[in-house]
Amino acid sequence: MLDKTITAALLALRVQIIRDKRDGLGQVEALLRLRGVDLPPVRQKIRQRKDTSRLALQALASGPARPVDIARRMADLSDLTPDDAWRRVYQALHNLRRKGYVEKDGALWRVRAFL
């Protein structure tokens, strides 16, 4: 019984750290991993247009991708539903292209190489 109580307390502490944006998340997650707990990813809240653009850049960090794949990754990383991500992906990509951060090569979008 004590073992489950400690795990529940660590999970509650993780939620509080994420919610309040406090330090110590890495240490709490390390303790939970040592106890054999599979942790769900931390999902980002989307509040502004710049958050959507940031998510699109994060999705492109692993390499060139099609918009549908970028939208899926955006939904995985955030609290967006897949439909919301799909509706926002093109505007985010075009805003990033206008600013010079990404470029389109056929059907693929990629992060622009800066020299």
Side-chain angles (χ1 to χ4, degrees), residues 34-81:
L34 285 172
R35 298 181 70 74
V37 176
D38 292 327
L39 298 173
V42 177
R43 300 173 68 83
Q44 302 171 19
K45 294 204 182 275
I46 302 303
R47 292 189 176 93
Q48 299 175 354
R49 183 179 294 163
K50 67 180 179 181
D51 295 333
T52 308
S53 296
R54 182 178 33 79
L55 277 176
L57 278 175
Q58 286 178 345
L60 287 170
S62 60
R66 298 175 303 144
V68 66
D69 299 324
I70 296 168
R72 281 189 198 122
R73 182 76 177 130
M74 287 170 61
D76 290 342
L77 292 171
S78 69
D79 62 346
L80 290 175
T81 66

